């Protein structure tokens, strides 16, 4: 019932096209949400809230373990920036299997597909090669040693923060 109500909101939208100053169209969308639809941002947030709830459930039951930035700090299992997701978990086949099932559930519920060809994983330097290989196999992603930058900032900083952020002083 809820999906039908949302689809009614989508289908009442009418698109027109302007070419050479003349209006053409009256196109009624039939295939679902498109980027730029007024309601799509809200639905996206609802889907992501479900994903966060699933992650927290597994973290609360100690089935996945996030990353701590310092002793005594809370663990971080995920960071979300627009449509970029970052997940943190132990490099173990069991946790990789759980993460894969969480992502598959998210795809099934939200109908948003994850592009595993664009997805990458970074490991701690002391993670053994066999574990790296098995985790990559489970998730269907490739390993990267240099995760690059996001919004102009490096994704991994390391110990020399002055080398990375020195230009700010």
């Amino acid at each position: 019932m809820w999906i039908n109500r949302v689809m009614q909101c989508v289908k009442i939208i009418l698109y027109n096209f302007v070419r050479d100053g003349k209006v053409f169209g009256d196109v009624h969308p039939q295939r679902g949400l498109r980027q730029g639809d007024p309601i799509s941002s809200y639905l996206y947030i609802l889907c992501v809230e479900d994903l966060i709830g699933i992650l927290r459930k597994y973290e609360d039951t100690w089935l996945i373990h996030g990353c701590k930035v310092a002793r005594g700090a809370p663990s971080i299992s995920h960071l979300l920036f627009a449509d970029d997701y970052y997940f943190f978990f132990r490099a173990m086949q069991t946790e990789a299997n759980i993460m894969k099932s969480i992502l598959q559930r998210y795809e099934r519920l939200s109908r948003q597909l994850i592009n595993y060809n664009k997805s990458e994983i970074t490991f701690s330097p002391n993670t053994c090669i066999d574990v790296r290989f098995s985790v990559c196999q489970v998730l269907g992603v490739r390993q990267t040693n240099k995760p690059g930058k996001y919004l102009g900032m490096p994704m991994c900083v390391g110990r020399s923060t002055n080398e990375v952020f020195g230009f700010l002083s």
Side-chain angles (χ1 to χ4, degrees):
M1 183 173 85
W2 195 84
I3 291 172
N4 288 335
R5 286 190 181 164
V6 170
M7 290 308 295
Q8 285 175 339
C9 292
V10 173
K11 290 180 180 178
I12 62 170
I13 294 174
L14 181 67
Y15 293 104
N16 293 312
F17 300 92
V18 178
R19 183 176 175 200
D20 297 329
K22 295 181 183 175
V23 177
F24 296 92
D26 283 2
V27 177
H28 298 274
Q30 298 294 316
R31 298 190 64 202
L33 291 173
R34 295 285 180 255
Q35 189 173 6
D37 284 336
I39 197 170
S40 65
S41 300
Y42 301 107
L43 292 175
Y44 177 78
I45 290 169
L46 288 174
C47 291
V48 169
E49 283 295 322
D50 187 51
L51 173 62
I52 292 169
I54 295 167
L55 286 166
R56 284 190 180 140
K57 180 182 114 183
Y58 281 96
E59 196 173 11
D60 289 345
T61 56
W62 300 100
L63 293 171
I64 60 170
H65 300 81
C67 174
K68 289 188 176 189
V69 295
R71 282 191 197 114
S75 65
I76 300 168
S77 63
H78 60 280
L79 294 173
L80 309 173
F81 303 98
D83 61 349
D84 292 324
Y85 303 172
Y86 299 92
F87 301 107
F88 304 92
F89 58 94
R90 287 186 181 161
M92 302 168 48
Q93 190 166 355
T94 54
E95 291 202 22
N97 283 324
I98 290 169
M99 284 303 300
K100 182 70 172 191
S101 70
I102 290 170
L103 295 174
Q104 288 172 335
R105 180 177 175 188
Y106 175 71
E107 284 182 316
R108 190 174 61 254
L109 294 174
S110 69
R111 297 185 183 169
Q112 294 178 347
L113 298 178
I114 297 167
N115 188 341
Y116 291 97
N117 292 325
K118 287 184 174 181
S119 301
E120 297 176 334
I121 189 166
T122 303
F123 293 95
S124 167
N126 55 354
T127 305
C128 77
I129 293 171
D130 292 342
V131 172
R132 292 176 187 219
F133 180 76
S134 68
V135 168
C136 287
Q137 286 290 108
V138 167
L139 294 173
V141 298
R142 69 182 180 278
Q143 177 185 348
T144 182
N145 293 328
K146 300 208 178 214
K149 294 183 177 187
Y150 183 78
L151 299 177
M153 298 301 292
M155 304 255 297
C156 289
V157 175
R159 295 202 183 273
S160 178
T161 55
N162 192 36
E163 188 177 305
V164 176
F165 300 109
F167 69 93
L168 294 174
S169 56

